[in-house]
Amino acid sequence: MRLKRTPLFETHARLGARLIEFGGWEMPVLYTGILEEHLAVRRAAGVFDISHMGEIQVIGAGAESFLNQILTNDVRTLSVGQGQYTLLCNPAGGVVDDLYVFRVDDEEYLLIVNASRVGADWDWLQGQLDTTAITEVIRLKDVSSAYGGIAVQGPRVAEFVNDVFSGGALRGALVPRVTDLRKNQIGIFLFNGVSVFVSRTGYTGEDGFEIIASAESIAALWDRVMAVGQAAGTRPAGLGARDTLRTEMGYPLYGQDLSETITPMEAGLGGFVAMDKGEFVGRAVLAAQQGGTMGRRAVAFQVTAKGPPPRPHYAIWSAGPDARALGHVSSGTQSPSLNCGIGMGFVPPSHAAVGTALDIEIRGQRVPAVVVRKPIYRKPV
Amino acid sequence: MSSHVPADLQYTKSHEWVRCAGQIATVGITDHAQHELTDIVFVELPSPGRALAAGEACAVVESVKTASDIYSPVAGEVVEVNGALAGQPGLVNTQPYGEGWFFRVQLAPAADLGSLLTPEAYRQHIGE
């Protein structure tokens, strides 16, 4: 299969990026180095190409009720201009995708979904639409290929991001400036005379914004952000840094920490499941798991000895004598901020409490680790 | 980007270098290899006393993204490893031919150095 290229492909080539396959896309994994890009985002600012992410519009008088039946979080709590992290589940409670839903207007929602799941999500949404009892108008539109996106992340982003746009929000959260958006808010702003979506969201744990714009304008947008952010030390950042940054926060990655056979409860995402909102797909299973027992739970861990970094699929063992296999690492890496191995994985609830000692098996050796609270890395205040 | 290939070393197709002084051979990975691997965060070295065959996987170098095997270019017994890499694995990136060396072997009597690459052959191998 030929890999898809984002509208920023030429930009990456000009910057000398190293490219890898990710979710069917040819994406930059790094420009100069993962550690350097990671630390730039933690200390100043970084710009990521997120054009591979999917965008699905849900429009119409029935959009809210429809989404509330298929998403785990409560869509009704969203006022115009507000967004939330949420999950799309199958009847068994397994995760079809994890995503952001924004209420752009009264009867208009924008779903930002994982690149690798656009097709699966679209089929799932269509199937749900075909069987819904809602009679009001619901229109679905996959606009993924029409849009590109960038994420501008880091503690210094707010110093310059207003200079990218002209004027206040036209729709969504009607704020005078981009930096007036609060966390999880979205507004439509003008860039070069073209309207673009700007949300105060991200996947790094830092303050920052995600900007979704037409595929034609995304390269100019990238250049503009780099230009106005130069004095603040803004750098391009690749998927390598994106992965280490999100792992330090304990944010899940679909395909590793989430799948159609992992439920939000098992993944430790129960906070994004609104059990009290009424019926929704997967609710029965999730409610039973919430009130009862589960075979496994996701934990975050930190390696406590010097050793090789943990990686996905490595086995997790109980510590001490009579060690037994508990599960596996779902995400693991060397933390650039903490300078030690960190990760997430699945273990029985008996070994999921914070402070529990675990061993990670790395090439036949057991490396000691401890269950920690998320986020794994906290910035010194 | 052009990689540094010192003229006084011998090389392997798997991107190790060897510096021979009498019967002692020092082994590391090339500038090209460290550049390809990017930021190195951990190096696992063979135990002193271990007998290595030429081409045997004997060390592991880990970058943020991946773990890669390192192969012994020559047959011999490990007599010394670079302890500094435990605390500063980044030396492999900054000084691949100097402070970032991996291990030293006492060459086996039958060690064959003839199949190692010359600097010119290695440069050609990496397309430079």
Side-chain angles (χ1 to χ4, degrees):
Chain A
M1 193 182 81
R2 199 189 138 85
L3 293 179
K4 288 178 274 191
R5 292 178 169 180
T6 78
L8 288 167
F9 185 82
E10 299 300 329
T11 304
H12 304 321
R14 170 164 53 85
L15 292 166
R18 192 172 305 186
L19 301 166
I20 56 159
E21 188 276 338
F22 182 80
W25 293 78
E26 197 169 6
M27 297 295 293
V29 63
L30 61 89
Y31 299 86
T32 52
I34 294 173
L35 296 181
E36 203 177 308
E37 292 162 27
H38 178 110
L39 296 174
V41 173
R42 286 270 178 263
R43 293 168 184 168
V47 185
F48 301 83
D49 181 5
I50 56 165
S51 301
H52 59 311
M53 305 281 295
E55 295 85 19
I56 296 173
Q57 290 178 323
V58 186
I59 301 169
E64 181 189 84
S65 318
F66 177 65
L67 289 173
N68 221 33
Q69 284 181 2
I70 59 172
L71 296 171
T72 59
N73 216 335
D74 193 345
V75 181
R76 296 170 307 179
T77 63
L78 298 179
S79 47
V80 171
Q82 212 81 41
Q84 67 188 188
Y85 177 73
T86 187
L87 299 116
L88 191 60
C89 284
N90 58 37
V95 178
V96 176
D97 203 359
D98 67 325
L99 60 141
Y100 249 86
V101 55
F102 291 100
R103 187 172 181 189
V104 175
D105 225 322
D106 273 331
E107 297 179 356
E108 180 185 340
Y109 293 83
L110 178 66
L111 313 183
I112 308 292
V113 306
N114 283 299
S116 62
R117 301 299 292 171
V118 177
D121 292 348
W122 181 252
D123 292 346
W124 181 258
L125 291 170
Q126 285 288 350
Q128 292 298 310
L129 187 59
D130 289 345
T131 55
T132 186
I134 299 167
T135 53
E136 296 149 299
V137 172
I138 305 163
R139 275 188 19 239
L140 296 179
K141 228 162 120 183
D142 177 5
V143 292
S144 302
S145 55
Y147 287 106
I150 62 174
V152 191
Q153 304 278 300
R156 298 195 63 182
V157 170
E159 293 173 25
F160 61 82
V161 71
N162 287 327
D163 298 341
V164 175
F165 308 94
S166 37
L170 309 174
R171 287 207 296 148
L174 296 174
V175 295
R177 293 171 312 177
V178 163
T179 49
D180 293 316
L181 290 171
R182 291 191 305 274
K183 192 170 160 55
N184 284 346
Q185 280 192 317
I186 192 168
I188 293 176
F189 292 82
L190 279 181
F191 164 71
N192 273 0
V194 182
S195 57
V196 301
F197 296 99
V198 184
S199 62
R200 198 161 199 160
T201 50
Y203 196 43
T204 63
E206 298 296 333
D207 183 25
F209 299 84
E210 291 175 304
I211 309 167
I212 305 291
S214 69
E216 296 75 39
S217 50
I218 203 77
L221 182 65
W222 172 288
D223 290 343
R224 182 67 181 278
V225 169
M226 289 305 296
V228 300
Q230 191 180 22
T234 305
R235 321 186 51 127
L239 288 184
R242 191 167 163 80
D243 195 53
T244 51
L245 288 159
R246 70 95 192 166
T247 305
E248 285 186 344
M249 289 300 111
Y251 296 157
L253 172 64
Y254 196 93
Q256 290 185 187
D257 310 291
L258 292 172
S259 77
E260 291 190 8
T261 58
I262 298 168
T263 73
M265 298 329 203
E266 292 172 326
L269 300 172
F272 303 100
V273 179
M275 218 60 90
D276 55 358
K277 73 174 181 173
E279 188 50 39
F280 62 93
V281 179
R283 185 183 186 281
V285 173
L286 301 182
Q289 287 188 338
Q290 186 186 47
T293 54
M294 287 183 281
R296 59 181 174 181
R297 275 221 55 155
V299 291
F301 63 83
Q302 193 169 333
V303 172
T304 50
K306 254 200 183 337
R311 301 193 189 275
H313 311 302
Y314 286 1
I316 302 177
W317 294 78
S318 60
D322 305 322
R324 61 189 180 96
L326 299 175
H328 72 278
V329 174
S330 51
S331 283
T333 190
Q334 178 82 3
S335 162
S337 302
L338 298 166
N339 200 22
C340 71
I342 58 166
M344 292 181 277
F346 291 93
V347 297
S350 57
H351 289 73
V354 169
T356 307
L358 304 171
D359 278 342
I360 313 293
E361 183 180 334
I362 305 180
R363 293 191 288 278
Q365 306 229 331
R366 306 272 168 89
V367 178
V370 62
V371 175
V372 296
R373 203 168 270 115
K374 292 183 198 176
I376 300 172
Y377 170 68
R378 274 188 187 76
K379 269 195 143 163
V381 205
Chain B
M1 193 169 125
S2 172
S3 304
H4 185 40
V5 182
D8 60 335
L9 304 178
Q10 291 174 287
Y11 299 88
T12 65
K13 286 192 171 173
S14 49
H15 310 289
E16 293 87 10
W17 57 260
V18 190
R19 179 182 287 123
C20 288
Q23 287 307 297
I24 300 294
T26 304
V27 176
I29 66 169
T30 65
D31 185 37
H32 174 78
Q34 71 76 18
H35 179 74
E36 286 300 304
L37 289 166
T38 72
D39 301 307
I40 288 160
V41 296
F42 187 80
V43 181
E44 192 169 296
L45 296 167
S47 304
R50 179 171 158 189
L52 301 174
E56 182 179 342
C58 60
V60 180
V61 55
E62 303 232 22
S63 67
V64 178
K65 282 301 261 190
T66 52
S68 309
D69 283 323
I70 301 303
Y71 304 91
S72 181
V74 292
E77 184 188 314
V78 178
V79 291
E80 192 182 352
V81 298
N82 185 359
L85 296 185
Q88 295 173 270
L91 288 172
V92 179
N93 293 115
T94 54
Q95 303 176 58
Y97 301 110
E99 297 298 309
W101 64 280
F102 277 39
F103 56 89
R104 295 199 168 100
V105 296
Q106 167 96 42
L107 291 172
D112 172 23
L113 306 179
S115 54
L116 295 172
L117 302 179
T118 63
E120 294 69 35
Y122 180 67
R123 203 173 278 123
Q124 201 162 33
H125 175 61
I126 58 176
E128 285 179 6

